[in-house]
Amino acid sequence: MDSRAPFGDHSGMELKVRSLSDEPALRTRFSDFHRQAWPRFLSEGDGTGGLFHRIYSDFADFQFGVWDETGALVAVGNTIPLICDGSAADLPPDITEILERGLAVKQEGRKATALSALAAIVDESQRARGLSTKVIEAMAALARQHGLKTLIAPVRPSLKQLYPLTPMERYITWARADGTHFDPWLRVHQRMGAEILRVAPKAMVITDTVARWEEWTGLRFLETGNYVVPGAFQPIKIDVRRNTGRYEEANVWMRHPVKG
Ligand SMILES: CC(C)(COP(=O)(O)OP(=O)(O)OC[C@H]1O[C@@H](n2cnc3c(N)ncnc32)[C@H](O)[C@@H]1OP(=O)(O)O)[C@@H](O)C(=O)NCCC(=O)NCCS
């Protein structure tokens, strides 16, 4: 994939999209972007069955960077092709199964039917300029290019972490006066014509020792209970006697139109 300005022009930026296959040096940059984007318990904990790194070795065509006209890498996108008919019933329950399904399709030499988004990350210094739409447009272009008729996305609403006591099912119903989603990241998808299919209540589950959770969060957990921690969509459950902390993250499955 190598394209210049394949998008609309509302930001006035000329952008270039290139895949990891085209730019192998991009591999380390993905790690930088992911480290910057997520709370430590997500980037260092294993919520994806130890499989996430396989997207770089097995699906390099489906990982891409976005460069601006100055040559700066301003965003990255991760996706994986899999078999899914795009109905709510056929969606994988979690990120691990998205990866497993994609890997199985490749191993069995079958033909994928859908593209699943895995992550869209805009560099911190480049946010709030409309770049996120370009990343999703690049994903849709990738789906078209590979003849995949469905684009699905397990979306992490960006402001959910500020409302950890509200169940995701309620949060996604919150709307602004103009009827659009309250959450800005859900709004980006909505504006692009995507629809919500369902909530995936355990899209990622991270379980580790109490000490590890203390290290990740900078908090102390001296007794068993539920704790609100920065960056988490809902409280984490600490069990001091069993020496475990467990976090279940809900994501929101959305389906995008793949036109053309
Ligand atoms: C989520 C993310 C991709 C958005 O990228 P972005 O390029 O900054 O977003 P945009 O400039 O396109 O803005 C999208 C919407 O969010 C709003 N927005 C941007 N920054 C915001 C902030 N800090 N607080 C509230 N709203 C914000 C914008 O106003 C816009 O909404 P509107 O057009 O309806 O007004 C980016 O914040 C990011 O990389 N976050 C870390 C990784 C992540 O969470 N990725 C998504 C899950 S995979």
Side-chain angles (χ1 to χ4, degrees), residues 10 33-34 36-38 74-76 78 117-124 126-136 139 154-159 161-162 176 178 180-189 191 233 251:
H10 78 262
F33 270 71
H34 276 267
Q36 177 197 88
W38 316 122
V74 292
V76 297
N78 297 120
L118 288 168
I121 306 175
V122 173
D123 183 79
E124 252 167 351
Q126 304 286 337
R127 291 194 187 153
R129 296 173 65 192
L131 276 168
S132 67
T133 301
K134 316 294 188 187
V135 179
I136 307 294
M139 290 178 177
V155 176
R156 275 193 100 238
S158 46
L159 297 188
Q161 55 181 306
L162 302 180
R176 302 193 303 180
D178 63 2
T180 59
H181 282 297
F182 163 79
D183 187 88
W185 187 222
L186 291 179
R187 209 158 59 235
V188 167
H189 291 267
R191 199 181 296 127
F233 289 178
N251 287 177

Side-chain angles (χ1 to χ4, degrees), residues 19-224:
S19 73
L20 177 59
S21 303
D22 302 325
E23 292 275 350
L26 197 50
R27 177 65 187 87
T28 54
R29 304 301 305 281
F30 280 112
S31 303
D32 297 340
F33 270 71
H34 276 267
R35 237 190 324 274
Q36 177 197 88
W38 316 122
R40 279 185 70 186
F41 58 83
L42 278 190
S43 56
E44 295 177 28
D46 182 18
T48 60
L51 295 173
F52 198 82
H53 67 100
R54 295 281 302 274
I55 62 173
Y56 300 118
S57 53
D58 291 49
F59 300 99
D61 287 348
F62 293 89
Q63 320 312 322
F64 62 87
V66 181
W67 285 262
D68 71 7
E69 62 278 3
T70 71
L73 180 67
V74 292
V76 297
N78 297 120
T79 65
I80 188 168
L82 75 170
I83 294 176
C84 177
D85 66 15
S87 68
D90 195 32
L91 292 170
D94 53 35
I95 308 290
T96 301
E97 189 174 312
I98 300 175
L99 296 164
E100 285 170 350
R101 278 207 213 175
L103 287 163
V105 167
K106 182 169 186 199
Q107 204 170 1
E108 293 158 14
R110 298 169 71 197
K111 184 160 169 32
T113 56
L115 187 67
S116 176
L118 288 168
I121 306 175
V122 173
D123 183 79
E124 252 167 351
S125 66
Q126 304 286 337
R127 291 194 187 153
R129 296 173 65 192
L131 276 168
S132 67
T133 301
K134 316 294 188 187
V135 179
I136 307 294
E137 284 175 358
M139 290 178 177
L142 198 52
R144 272 195 301 279
Q145 190 186 325
H146 288 269
L148 304 168
K149 297 208 166 17
T150 304
L151 174 61
I152 50 177
V155 176
R156 275 193 100 238
S158 46
L159 297 188
K160 177 67 178 77
Q161 55 181 306
L162 302 180
Y163 304 92
L165 304 182
T166 303
M168 187 65 94
E169 284 78 5
R170 297 286 323 142
Y171 181 77
I172 62 174
T173 67
W174 291 3
R176 302 193 303 180
D178 63 2
T180 59
H181 282 297
F182 163 79
D183 187 88
W185 187 222
L186 291 179
R187 209 158 59 235
V188 167
H189 291 267
Q190 177 182 40
R191 199 181 296 127
M192 296 180 73
E195 58 175 323
I196 291 180
L197 296 173
R198 67 174 167 83
V199 169
K202 297 181 190 176
M204 277 186 283
V205 177
I206 295 168
T207 306
D208 217 307
T209 61
V210 173
R212 182 59 68 87
W213 277 100
E214 290 185 338
E215 187 192 326
W216 285 336
T217 60
L219 302 174
R220 295 297 313 278
F221 302 115
L222 297 173
E223 64 178 25
T224 293

